[in-house]
Amino acid sequence: MIAVRDHRDKAAFSRLFDHFAPRLKGFVMRNGTSAAQAEEIVQDVMLTLWRKAHMFDPHRAQVSAWVYQIVRNRQIDVARKENRPMPEALKEEPDAEPDASQILAIEQETGQLRAALQKLRPEQREVIEQAYLGELTHQEISTKTGLPLGTIKSRIRLGLQRLRHELKDLSE
Amino acid sequence: MTAISHHIPEPMLAAYAAGNLPHAFSLVVATHISICAECRAVVEAHEAVGGVVVEDSGAVAVSASMKADLLSLLDDPIPEAPVYARSGPYPGPVVEALKGREPRWKKLGMGVRQDILAEDKHGSVRLLYIPPGQAVPDHGHNGLELTLVLQGSFTDETGFFGVGDVEVADETLEHTPIAGAGDACICLAATDARLKFNAFVPRMLQPIFRI
Ligand SMILES: [Zn+2]
């Protein structure tokens, strides 16, 4: 992803496509979307990934999290004909040195999150998947047990370290 | 800027990240996380869970022609999308909802003004302007109401709300918010139902004011 962002590397983008496009198609089809429409959505998502690559920040997210945000935006757009309101983009610090330890920490936390999800009982996992497919309301999310609200606490703490000063810059 | 002390409940942030929060509430969340690092981190953490769900979704082969089409689009010029930057007390998502214009205030009485930004069958979202020291008479709620302070402050039976703070009110809360001294209080308020005003506007006038 960094090669795509910094060097507009099409070969790297092609590899990113090979990894994400089939998974995205599987994800989109889970709510009953036809294969043909799913392909259109996947194409839009991958094109957005290419065009907005400069907005990707590995200190705050893994590519998969960013892909998830983009695909949900696109699905909402298609289903409801409206755009989901999005927060202000954070200011980039073009000269800032990448912080390898933060990038690694985000990677590790995501790995742990994934392992935690894989350990869930099938019916618990089902609820999680429903929630992130956008099929549960906030009331349902707060009443259904088993959502990994606790599991993601360390992930939240990590994200905060980075966000605190970026948002401070934004509001000043 | 004082620290934000009233945040958005986590299930609502999770529903926002999952793209299943009504539009009116989503606008309040997007605006709040534009200025609140804590809630933004929560949203991004939920996006990470969503990312894991995508990663672990069963792969379905995509057609070679779709990939070829896509690769041929990469050098096309990128269409210009308008970028709505913060303007005065209004963070980017509010400016976007205003489509870049200034608020068009409509008088509600007693110096209170509003500009309805969006309204549909799932609820509505508006900007409210309350002069310093002015009380918004006692009102209850039919559904859920989120009120985010953008400028000034207000106080009610439950506490003090400054810039960035969000009050979450449901059926059980009957309150009388009073704007603080100094700057007028400007809020972004979203509800999934009509407000019930006890004294402020007679019930029969509500359809006219669309409160
Ligand atoms: Zn917050």
Side-chain angles (χ1 to χ4, degrees), chain B residues 7 32 36 39:
Chain B
H7 297 275
H32 179 74
C36 177
C39 291

mmCIF file of all heavy atoms in Angstrom, chain B residues 7 32 36 39, ligand 1:
data_model
loop_
_atom_site.group_PDB
_atom_site.id
_atom_site.type_symbol
_atom_site.label_atom_id
_atom_site.label_comp_id
_atom_site.label_asym_id
_atom_site.label_seq_id
_atom_site.Cartn_x
_atom_site.Cartn_y
_atom_site.Cartn_z
ATOM 1 N N HIS B 7 -19.208 12.495 25.822
ATOM 2 C CA HIS B 7 -18.909 11.834 24.548
ATOM 3 C C HIS B 7 -20.125 11.082 24.005
ATOM 4 O O HIS B 7 -21.178 11.049 24.621
ATOM 5 C CB HIS B 7 -17.721 10.893 24.729
ATOM 6 C CG HIS B 7 -16.470 11.613 25.115
ATOM 7 N ND1 HIS B 7 -15.627 12.178 24.196
ATOM 8 C CD2 HIS B 7 -15.948 11.900 26.338
ATOM 9 C CE1 HIS B 7 -14.623 12.778 24.832
ATOM 10 N NE2 HIS B 7 -14.795 12.623 26.133
ATOM 11 N N HIS B 32 -18.652 15.433 15.677
ATOM 12 C CA HIS B 32 -17.981 15.253 16.972
ATOM 13 C C HIS B 32 -16.589 14.646 16.791
ATOM 14 O O HIS B 32 -15.613 15.126 17.379
ATOM 15 C CB HIS B 32 -18.839 14.374 17.888
ATOM 16 C CG HIS B 32 -18.229 14.119 19.231
ATOM 17 N ND1 HIS B 32 -18.169 15.072 20.222
ATOM 18 C CD2 HIS B 32 -17.627 13.013 19.743
ATOM 19 C CE1 HIS B 32 -17.567 14.570 21.289
ATOM 20 N NE2 HIS B 32 -17.235 13.316 21.023
ATOM 21 N N CYS B 36 -13.018 15.433 18.384
ATOM 22 C CA CYS B 36 -12.772 14.603 19.572
ATOM 23 C C CYS B 36 -11.908 13.385 19.209
ATOM 24 O O CYS B 36 -12.377 12.457 18.552
ATOM 25 C CB CYS B 36 -14.089 14.136 20.184
ATOM 26 S SG CYS B 36 -13.826 13.042 21.592
ATOM 27 N N CYS B 39 -13.246 9.766 20.660
ATOM 28 C CA CYS B 39 -14.301 9.074 19.917
ATOM 29 C C CYS B 39 -13.827 8.684 18.514
ATOM 30 O O CYS B 39 -14.231 7.655 17.986
ATOM 31 C CB CYS B 39 -15.567 9.926 19.854
ATOM 32 S SG CYS B 39 -16.363 10.078 21.482
HETATM 33 ZN ZN ZN C 1 -15.913 12.177 22.121
#
